[in-house]
Amino acid sequence: MSAPPATYTAAVDRYLTGAGIAKSSARIYRISLTTWGWMFAGERAPTGPARRGAKPPLIPIDAIDNPVLPEVLAELAAARADEMDGDTVNRELSIARKAIGWWQRQGWIACDPTIGIERRPAPPDRTKALSENQIAALWHLDVALREKTLWKMLYESAARAEEILCLDVDDLHPGDKRGRTLGKGGATEWIHWQSGAAQLLPRLIAGRSRGPLFLTGRKAPAGTPTLDVCPETGRARLSYRRAEEIFEEHTRCWPTPSPRLRTSRTWTAGPCTGSATVRSPTTPRVAPPPRCCWPALVTPPSAPWSGTPAPVWTRSPGT
């Protein structure tokens, strides 16, 4: 039991730092909980361009215990479900319930106003894999160096997009073609890439020695967390939401449905199925060439790609 914070925003900060949320997941958790902040205040959360830069309402954390809130939330959640896809709505609901449970265990609130709100059925996603021709076309798109490097790293590493976007420059070991990140539960994991990404990374880093690897094209707005700001350029870390928007913009004109950026580490390539795993640097690896598939970016713990395995790291003989 601890003293409750003064505001809902402060309670979110305490949850993200005190509940063991992995660095690779914290950004998506914060976005989802900010969305719920509007609804806990009895307001509809902004969507699309209106969401960028919108300030969430300041409410006390005990506003969640308001006895009329469950009925209000049910209406707001139903309206949001009509505007958003089922995966997003379900992810946000799951994250809100995890945070509420943690706040209840701290003794800050007593009730869970989301009880009674049902998960939405999500239609099957049939756009997880790309054909050989689409993969070839992807590498010939006229995109910025940042996107080329991000897509190459995702394709070659089979890592979740959130793990890649959370990399800092000082997390990288370029000579070994690997980088250190925090996975679910706070465990240290290693992301490994191949020659394509290795050739692009020095140009992207451009002599920087610290700060986020992937940056936005403009200065970070006031209030951006220090860990998400490059101390050398003043620019902010590229968000998953923006990365997904850019990817969809460049693949929307394809004759088949555009794939989506997801957080799953599962890949799909024709009849091949399996899981791509990231092993400790002390474990020897044999990495087969990537198969014709593309990781789709989805949610964290709903989450930046899914499909059936591309590279599958295996132990070498005798280990």
Side-chain angles (χ1 to χ4, degrees):
M1 304 285 283
S2 58
T7 65
Y8 171 80
T9 302
V12 170
D13 291 337
R14 296 267 291 273
Y15 168 65
L16 294 177
T17 57
I21 305 300
K23 178 183 175 182
S24 58
S25 304
R27 184 179 297 101
I28 296 299
Y29 272 56
R30 185 180 295 279
I31 291 171
S32 296
L33 292 172
T34 299
T35 296
W36 277 95
W38 271 289
M39 295 197 288
F40 288 146
E43 303 176 20
R44 294 185 66 168
T47 58
R51 180 168 184 162
R52 294 200 189 107
K55 298 291 185 182
L58 289 176
I59 58 172
I61 183 62
D62 57 9
I64 294 177
D65 284 333
N66 188 327
V68 304
L69 186 57
E71 183 177 351
V72 174
L73 277 185
E75 295 180 1
L76 292 172
R80 183 166 178 78
D82 291 337
E83 300 174 345
M84 310 296 292
D85 64 89
D87 285 336
T88 299
V89 171
N90 291 339
R91 176 182 75 245
E92 292 176 345
L93 179 60
S94 175
I95 291 174
R97 284 177 171 163
K98 289 178 182 178
I100 287 171
W102 192 83
W103 293 330
Q104 287 176 321
R105 291 192 293 275
Q106 308 311 307
W108 300 346
I109 58 175
C111 304
D112 180 356
T114 68
I115 291 177
I117 300 177
E118 297 182 356
R119 293 174 59 86
R120 298 285 167 163
D125 188 344
R126 307 185 188 281
T127 64
K128 293 180 179 178
L130 295 186
S131 66
E132 268 188 76
N133 291 338
Q134 287 175 320
I135 288 290
L138 191 70
W139 306 140
H140 287 89
L141 289 176
D142 184 16
V143 296
L145 173 63
R146 180 186 65 187
E147 275 63 55
K148 288 181 181 178
T149 309
L150 174 60
W151 299 349
K152 276 288 185 182
M153 290 188 73
L154 286 164
Y155 180 71
E156 294 180 354
S157 70
R160 292 182 296 117
E162 274 297 300
E163 293 175 329
I164 298 292
L165 290 171
C166 285
L167 285 171
D168 291 335
V169 174
D170 52 358
D171 291 329
L172 306 182
H173 295 250
D176 298 330
K177 298 179 184 176
R178 64 183 178 127
R180 182 182 62 251
T181 188
L182 291 180
K184 294 182 179 179
T188 299
E189 294 183 350
W190 291 91
I191 296 170
H192 300 261
W193 51 85
Q194 299 173 29
S195 298
Q199 293 172 1
L200 294 170
L201 276 171
R203 295 167 54 197
L204 179 71
I205 295 170
R208 292 186 293 124
S209 60
R210 51 187 179 149
L213 175 58
F214 293 97
L215 300 172
T216 58
R218 56 188 178 184
K219 297 290 185 180
T224 303
T226 303
L227 291 176
D228 291 331
V229 178
C230 174
E232 299 179 15
T233 66
R235 290 185 286 158
R237 186 187 303 274
L238 178 66
S239 69
Y240 164 77
R241 186 176 297 274
R242 181 58 184 149
E244 183 180 37
E245 288 176 353
I246 294 172
F247 184 76
E248 291 181 350
E249 286 171 6
H250 285 90
T251 57
R252 188 177 294 132
C253 61
W254 287 3
T256 55
S258 172
R260 298 168 58 197
L261 296 180
R262 298 187 177 269
T263 50
S264 170
R265 193 181 275 144
T266 307
W267 290 53
T268 305
C272 304
T273 59
S275 298
T277 59
V278 180
R279 298 193 183 278
S280 160
T282 58
T283 304
R285 292 166 298 280
V286 177
R291 301 188 179 104
C292 296
C293 54
W294 185 256
L297 289 166
V298 42
T299 43
S302 132
W305 304 50
S306 87
T308 41
V312 177
W313 303 111
T314 58
R315 292 181 182 272
S316 61
T319 62

